[in-house]
Amino acid sequence: MSPNALLQDPPVVSDAHFSPEQFDRAVMTTYGRFPIALERGEGCRVWDTDGKAYLDCVAGIATCTLGHAHPALVKALSHQIQKLHHVSNLYYIPEQGALAQWIVDHSCGDRVFFCNSGAEANEAAIKLARKYAHDVQEIKRPVILTANASFHGRTLATITATGQTKYQKGFEPLVPGFEYVPYNDLQALENAIADIDEGDRRVGAVLLEPLQGEGGVRPGDLAYFQGVRKVCDENGLLLILDEVQVGMGRTGKVWGYENLGIEPDVFTSAKGLGGGIPIGAMVCKSSCDVLQPGNHASTFGGNPFACAAGLAVAQVLESEGLLANAQERGEQLRASLSAIAVQYPQHIAEVRGWGLINGVVLNDETELTSINIVKAAMDVGLLLVPAGPKVVRFVPPLVITAAEIEEAVQKFGEAIAAVG
Ligand SMILES: *Cc1c(COP(=O)(O)O)cnc(C)c1O
């Protein structure tokens, strides 16, 4: 059966019309949701249940790398689900091996562990760092340094790694073994490494985002990251980079660290890796792979379906030249948004980002918040996502065209005009 035939005879759930009130009675209200429901997409366009069209510059939060209903993804997943979708890591999984090989061939890493999300990938990296501390660094109570305003996920260990109290409040006691330093401040990192030394309690690893996504689309500073690499080498520390939001082509390079001229010892990936099918990965150099059979596992991790998605994304990234597109469309977007920023100096302080992860930074003085602008944009048919209260984030699919970027900026201008 072709995918189109399936669409004509959809499962019953697609016909259900939930009101937000009904929805919120049955589903835990852990999210602040916008009052629309999306039911269909194609490329960078999505439609809600009332038939209204939106240009999608959210892409499931930097996740739908190939946009919606990309033929290569539809074909790969239709094929895989008819063949074999899940077995178990009790057995060898060819698709998992192939995706790991692609990642290894296109990164500084040597070995991959697969899981299902960004938080899980970071959990795996944290476990690896702790085992490395015990086995190799001989630290009994290892500390991982992370940055203020970082975001690493919502599990207990990753909210602790996240340097923002708003994600931690109410969930104490937090996981021991984390300390925070200001981002892009090398002296502060050096001081922390020197200060945290009680013999059996020392720094074993540094965990950073190459560009802070949720924390406000704040790019890492080149000199800072080169300094961090040097300090880690001199002190025998692991440098772990969280590539969950910026990896897999988002910045115009396959990995965010390529913008910084350094290589991590360990990095994590998730969001864009499966193009919207849940998959996460922790990648490390063989020199720090201390995990043995039985040390870590995931039931779903790296199953044939998720890995088929990852392989399709990888193939299209190359065959459609999406790295170059991310670079060029990103430059176009920043240039056009900067022109709007000049028109509204009372509201917009700065436009910043790499490739197709960009933020419009609002002035401290303006009363406008990122939510105000995101709502106004939604009214005119443009989907955007806040990155904190004062930054509006653009993370469209990497297949976005020049004409669609122009349309996005025009709609953004209409939104600002409406609220400003
Ligand atoms: C989204 C994100 C995570 C968490 O990923 P989940 O898949 O939601 O667990 C971790 N780190 C960064 C940098 C992210 O952007």
Side-chain angles (χ1 to χ4, degrees):
M1 204 184 326
S2 76
N4 289 346
L6 282 168
L7 272 182
Q8 277 148 31
D9 186 16
V12 182
V13 68
S14 317
D15 290 335
H17 287 284
F18 286 109
S19 70
E21 293 73 28
Q22 282 175 313
F23 185 100
D24 286 341
R25 266 199 298 278
V27 179
M28 284 195 182
T29 47
T30 58
Y31 302 93
R33 295 177 196 268
F34 295 104
I36 63 168
L38 301 172
E39 68 167 5
R40 186 166 65 87
E42 195 182 326
C44 296
R45 202 77 54 179
V46 289
W47 287 265
D48 70 14
T49 44
D50 294 330
K52 179 174 171 178
Y54 302 83
L55 182 58
D56 184 8
C57 285
V58 176
I61 313 189
T63 291
C64 301
T65 312
L66 308 182
H68 304 279
H70 191 290
L73 192 61
V74 171
K75 188 174 165 198
L77 293 179
S78 305
H79 175 77
Q80 193 63 50
I81 199 126
Q82 291 175 68
K83 194 169 101 177
L84 189 70
H85 68 291
H86 179 79
V87 277
S88 158
N89 287 299
L90 287 167
Y91 317 107
Y92 283 87
I93 299 171
E95 295 78 12
Q96 185 180 132
L99 183 57
Q101 191 61 53
W102 186 88
I103 292 171
V104 165
D105 288 345
H106 293 80
S107 76
C108 64
D110 300 312
R111 324 198 64 196
V112 187
F113 172 85
F114 288 104
C115 51
N116 314 290
S117 68
E120 268 185 274
N122 287 332
E123 285 274 348
I126 291 163
K127 283 181 71 175
L128 179 106
R130 286 195 171 182
K131 189 132 195 313
Y132 185 83
H134 299 307
D135 292 2
V136 180
Q137 294 165 323
E138 297 183 339
I139 309 175
K140 277 216 183 76
R141 292 192 296 146
V143 171
I144 298 176
L145 290 180
T146 71
N148 295 339
S150 58
F151 182 79
H152 299 295
R154 298 294 204 129
T155 62
L156 271 175
T158 58
I159 58 168
T160 310
T162 294
Q164 301 190 56
T165 47
K166 70 172 180 187
Y167 294 109
Q168 303 168 338
K169 212 167 158 287
F171 299 107
E172 301 85 354
L174 298 174
V175 175
F178 293 91
E179 297 281 348
Y180 315 98
V181 290
Y183 192 60
N184 282 339
D185 182 342
L186 188 61
Q187 191 59 53
L189 184 88
E190 288 179 319
N191 293 348
I193 292 167
D195 291 350
I196 302 166
D197 186 355
E198 294 145 36
D200 67 346
R201 184 175 184 271
R202 283 184 285 128
V203 176
V206 177
L207 166 60
L208 295 167
E209 292 159 89
L211 169 154
Q212 291 188 325
E214 302 300 315
V217 190
R218 192 174 297 115
D221 182 60
L222 215 86
Y224 171 69
F225 271 87
Q226 296 187 349
V228 173
R229 179 68 272 177
K230 193 154 162 273
V231 167
C232 285
D233 288 341
E234 285 166 1
N235 292 277
L237 311 183
L238 290 184
L239 176 55
I240 307 169
L241 294 185
D242 180 342
E243 293 268 353
V244 168
Q245 187 153 166
V246 295
M248 211 56 187
R250 170 88 12 219
T251 71
K253 315 259 188 207
V254 182
W255 307 108
Y257 67 76
E258 294 173 56
N259 297 282
L260 296 167
I262 52 142
E263 291 184 354
D265 303 299
V266 180
F267 67 93
T268 55
S269 175
K271 286 190 170 86
L273 182 58
I277 301 301
I279 185 169
M282 187 265 289
V283 188
C284 75
K285 298 212 177 195
S286 46
S287 56
C288 55
D289 181 9
V290 289
L291 297 179
Q292 303 291 319
N295 283 166
H296 198 43
S298 164
T299 297
F300 290 123
N303 83 11
F305 191 72
C307 289
L311 284 168
V313 171
Q315 270 160 20
V316 174
L317 210 63
E318 296 185 292
S319 67
E320 292 189 12
L322 296 188
L323 296 179
N325 194 58
Q327 267 170 35
E328 289 160 19
R329 298 289 75 78
E331 279 168 27
Q332 179 194 350
L333 179 63
R334 283 187 297 281
S336 306
L337 287 175
S338 298
I340 290 190
V342 170
Q343 287 178 265
Y344 294 94
Q346 72 278 31
H347 297 309
I348 302 175
E350 189 190 353
V351 176
R352 66 189 178 205
W354 291 340
L356 282 173
I357 176 161
N358 293 288
V360 173
V361 184
L362 301 179
N363 270 330
D364 288 335
E365 298 82 55
T366 180
E367 305 241 300
L368 284 183
T369 64
S370 50
I371 293 262
N372 298 146
I373 295 177
V374 168
K375 283 183 175 157
M378 195 173 283
D379 287 342
V380 297
L382 172 67
L383 297 184
L384 297 173
V385 56
K390 285 288 185 181
V391 180
V392 181
R393 179 171 28 166
F394 287 70
V395 279
L398 304 190
V399 297
I400 196 165
T401 64
E404 285 166 336
I405 291 280
E406 206 173 302
E407 183 186 334
V409 174
Q410 191 218 319
K411 284 184 179 341
F412 179 76
E414 288 171 32
I416 282 270
V419 291

